[in-house]
Structures are given as structure tokens and as C-alpha cells.
Amino acid sequence: MALTIRCSDFNNDCPAQFTAADRDELLRHVELHTREAHQPMEWTPELAEVVKTKIQQN
Ligand SMILES: [Zn+2]
């Protein structure tokens, strides 16, 4: 089982896509990407909750 999420699910015009075996790992990928690619967007607990709702299981 893999979990995937696309940055475009919550940010416009970003092609980034992430896949991980578990949710915590996936969230770390998204957090790092958000900090590096989407400044000044801040990684907040609220944003993490939104991200969790967009995760798809394959
Ligand atoms: Zn992005």
C-alpha cells in the first residue's frame, strides 16, 4: 500500500507529487517541500490537517 498526494491538491500550479509508505513519512515530505518551495507559506498544524484530508491510498 502506498499513500500519495499532489501539491496541486492544495496549491495551484505546482507539479510536485509525493508517495510514501506511511502517513507520517508522507507528511514530512510535504512539510519539507512546503518550506523549500512555497515560502512564505508556513507549515502549520492546520495545514497539516488539510493535507491529511487530501491523501489518497493506492
Ligand atoms: Zn508544491
Side-chain angles (χ1 to χ4, degrees):
M1 187 182 74
L3 303 176
T4 62
I5 191 166
R6 289 186 303 271
C7 199
S8 58
D9 287 339
F10 46 92
N11 284 307
N12 292 326
D13 298 331
C14 181
Q17 179 172 321
F18 307 95
T19 302
D22 67 72
R23 194 176 70 171
D24 287 345
E25 185 185 349
L26 187 64
L27 285 173
R28 279 198 297 275
H29 288 309
V30 177
E31 177 179 0
L32 264 178
H33 170 75
T34 300
R35 293 184 192 280
E36 291 180 354
H38 295 296
Q39 291 181 18
M41 187 184 217
E42 292 188 46
W43 183 257
T44 63
E46 291 76 18
L47 180 56
E49 290 301 315
V50 173
V51 169
K52 287 175 189 174
T53 69
K54 305 290 188 184
I55 294 172
Q56 296 181 4
Q57 280 191 13
N58 297 314

